[in-house]
Amino acid sequence: MIYDEFVTQIEGHGRIYFEIKDGKVVEARLEIHEGSRLFESFLRGRRADEVPQMSSRICGVCPVPHNMAAIQALENAMGIEASEQVKMLRRFMLSSQMVQDHALHLYVLAAADYLNVNGVADVYAKYPEAVKRCIRIRTVGNRGIELVGGRAVHPVNSIPGGFAKLPTRADMEKIAKDFKSIMNDCIETFNLFASLKYPEFERATEYLAIDDGKHFPVYAGKLVTNKGLNAEAKDYRKHIKEEFKPYSNTKFCTINGHGFHVGAIARVNLFKDRLNPTAKELLKSSPIKFPSDNPFHNNLAQALEMVHYCEEAIKIAEELAVKLKDEERPKQTKAGTGVGVVEAPRGTLIHEYTVDNNGIVRDANLIIPTGMNTTNIEEDLYALLTANVNKPKEELKWLACQLFRAYDPCLSCSTH
Amino acid sequence: MKPKVAIFDLTDCEGCEVQIVNSKFIDRILAGVEFVHFRLGQRVNRWDNFDVAFIEGAVITSHELELVKKIREHSKLVIALGSCACFGGIAAITNFMDKEEAKRYVYGENADKIETLYIKPLPEIIKVDFMIRGCPIVPEDFERVVSDLFAGRIPREHTRPVCMDCKSKGNPCQLLKGVACAGPVAYGGCGAPCPSAGVPCDGCRGPLEDPQITAELELLKKIASKDDIIRLFRKFAPMAPIFKEIGGGKL
Ligand code: SF4
Ligand code: SF4
Ligand code: SF4
């Protein structure tokens, strides 16, 4: 039994296959058919300074994390230490991306599931105010990325060592105001998603996010989980295994042989104590509590994060509006291997590059959030179908798609 | 009757579709057209006849090869959206490499289970009525083309190089600083975001109709190595005419 069309309202092309025999689920598979572009191959032979821009083309929906993970990895490889100000600007760009991207997923892709309509055009016809809210949020999120990165989709301005061109203090003051103007929209988004009815389903699993010891996860840190993993990012290969399955172009990731979950729900489950004040307050009043083991609650976690990252963007922009200064960009090129980790909207993202003495990339390895989630999605699918096995086939198909969509998967990213 | 529109994405990053969502027109588009086929945006999709089909992405699998032919049969107009569709896009860099080796590097012993075709620009596979260039496209271009189409006009191509966009922004010239820039031969209309941010233009919108390529190469050879010139043109629009030759090593 196969959901024979590609699953709709997700980035990229994938199908769900499941088989039920004598009232039992005997197979539940995630088949990712997105073509493989072979980024890891063709990034070899490129100059380190052009790689971050090229890497961002892995995903036009969340280009900033790819850009940032590549820069961080290349800096680590070449022995460059970015300044505190540069790191703040990077956290600002990532926060802007989170706000903008979560709005896209929640309103354009996921909302139709919960409002029970065909798609985004119907959401607009019935709830124009909600879509307009989405547009307002996205406009400001995009403006934030553009201001620091030079362009909203595929930033051009961020390079190893820092930025080709810095914004001004006045720019930062203006953008802080812009973010303040959408704070209420973000809060309303949270209230909307807190009021929805999510399918009842729970399955305890391992949640992974990065930890820099200070911030709610976003830029750099160790790899930590709720089951006690606490590892340096550069040792990721020791803990995260990738496996090929013949029915899918995306490799399947495991920790200790089982699936794990990355993304908004993982970040909130692990680090809800580090949320910014408004987000923390909202969470207290929420009918749904975290940590949650219901994967559908990832959507609520995203809405909560929109509030948090909006506050984060305001905080950083206000601080830089006072103290942004011109800086010398550190340059250093030595050969070496480096790993970069950031949180993308969909979860932890790892880039690793080896750079030679001429500043040319010789090896590349990328692990993408959706790739990390694949095994967990299959495990969830199996459990969800088993729990609902007596429901009509059509309903099962739809529930399976909805589960898949709740992960906010990005299949183009995952096959890269 | 609302125009019947289809939006298809093949293998790519979907950044051009995101730029559609980023358009100032997006609410008017949502209200003003009927999306007959739009996998990213809706659950139920039909193979009616489309007035306009936008195709984003590169043809990398044989499924996609069949799909674009089917789209052509069903659509009055076909618009190639972005450099992946217009010029093969970034993934077409592998056309210049040993593809089997490239697959092996990523998938090891399972490489033969992965299908990757030689990536051709869409116009080499089916008739394309118009190209919206760029990696990514700029929302303004999309808006212009859509307004023209819905007003029954044939959209027009820009005819000026990126340098003109650059000049109107008052940017300092990268070439004059000794940085290899594809701007003089690349198709403008993007607003020159790259030189405005202080980095060179990579020619993502492909070559002008009549690029002064000899002069450009003479200039570039003075400031950049052969490898760097190849890298510059073998990037976001590697299968565009002329870029393909330079990126392929014919200098
Ligand atoms: S042209 Fe560029 S932005 Fe558009 S889909 Fe292709 S890679 Fe993405
Ligand atoms: S920077 Fe590039 S695009 Fe701009 S004027 Fe100079 S050559 Fe032309
Ligand atoms: S400046 Fe060049 S690389 Fe940048 S968007 Fe314009 S055409 Fe593309």
Side-chain angles (χ1 to χ4, degrees), chain A residues 200-219:
Chain A
E200 270 171 44
F201 172 69
E202 268 186 12
R203 190 183 69 87
T205 186
E206 189 158 1
Y207 297 97
L208 178 130
I210 58 172
D211 179 11
D212 68 356
K214 196 169 163 205
H215 301 91
F216 186 81
V218 73
Y219 178 79

Side-chain angles (χ1 to χ4, degrees), chain A residues 6-13 34-42 44-47 50 53-54 57-61 104 109 112-113 116-121 124 131 135 138 142 150-151 153-154 156-157 164-165 244 249 251 360 363-364 398 412 415, chain B residues 9-15 18-19 21-22 26-27 30-31 35 38-45 60-61 63-64 90-91 93-94 97 99 101-103 105-107 110 113-116 135-136 193-194 196-199 202 204 228 231-232 234-236:
Chain A
F6 290 124
V7 179
T8 61
Q9 292 137 299
I10 57 171
E11 281 94 19
H13 300 85
E34 183 83 10
S36 297
R37 290 168 292 165
L38 308 174
F39 266 84
E40 286 145 324
S41 276
F42 69 67
R44 292 175 304 163
R46 308 299 302 208
R47 278 194 332 264
E50 58 181 346
Q53 260 210 55
M54 295 176 75
R57 264 72 178 187
I58 292 168
C59 186
V61 181
L104 179 78
L109 307 179
D113 276 343
N116 209 8
V117 295
N118 185 34
V120 59
Y124 182 69
V131 175
I135 294 172
R138 286 181 49 78
N142 279 337
R151 180 164 63 191
V153 177
H154 303 320
V156 287
N157 186 20
K165 201 171 142 189
F244 180 82
N249 287 352
K251 294 175 200 165
I360 304 293
D363 271 303
W398 195 251
S412 348
T415 55
Chain B
D9 42 53
L10 311 174
T11 296
D12 67 349
C13 87
E14 293 183 14
V18 171
Q19 289 287 55
V21 180
N22 290 346
I26 187 62
D27 44 354
L30 285 173
F35 289 112
F38 182 20
R39 184 199 56 82
L40 192 68
Q42 65 193 25
R43 195 184 303 188
V44 183
N45 297 296
I60 293 192
T61 65
H63 164 81
E64 290 169 333
I90 191 170
I93 295 174
T94 53
M97 303 165 62
K99 255 203 215 252
E101 196 277 328
K103 277 200 285 183
Y105 182 71
V106 180
Y107 289 97
N110 299 299
K113 300 192 184 79
I114 300 293
E115 183 189 38
T116 49
C135 179
C194 309
S196 305
V199 295
D202 294 312
C204 79
D228 275 333
R231 283 187 199 109
L232 182 64
R234 191 194 285 182
K235 206 180 232 175
F236 300 127

Side-chain angles (χ1 to χ4, degrees), chain B residues 89-166:
Chain B
I90 191 170
I93 295 174
T94 53
N95 283 354
F96 301 84
M97 303 165 62
D98 176 343
K99 255 203 215 252
E100 289 311 309
E101 196 277 328
K103 277 200 285 183
R104 252 195 324 274
Y105 182 71
V106 180
Y107 289 97
E109 59 192 24
N110 299 299
D112 55 341
K113 300 192 184 79
I114 300 293
E115 183 189 38
T116 49
L117 305 175
Y118 181 82
I119 300 173
K120 288 184 183 170
L122 205 54
E124 286 182 27
I125 304 171
I126 54 168
K127 178 173 170 272
V128 167
D129 298 286
F130 196 77
M131 299 201 286
I132 304 182
R133 297 151 183 265
C135 179
I137 63 160
V138 288
E140 294 74 19
D141 250 358
F142 177 77
E143 289 157 10
R144 179 177 63 87
V145 169
V146 168
S147 323
D148 279 346
L149 287 175
F150 294 157
R153 290 190 295 266
I154 304 288
R156 286 216 191 156
E157 295 272 19
H158 295 279
T159 52
R160 49 171 210 210
V162 174
C163 293
M164 296 295 282
D165 293 53
C166 220

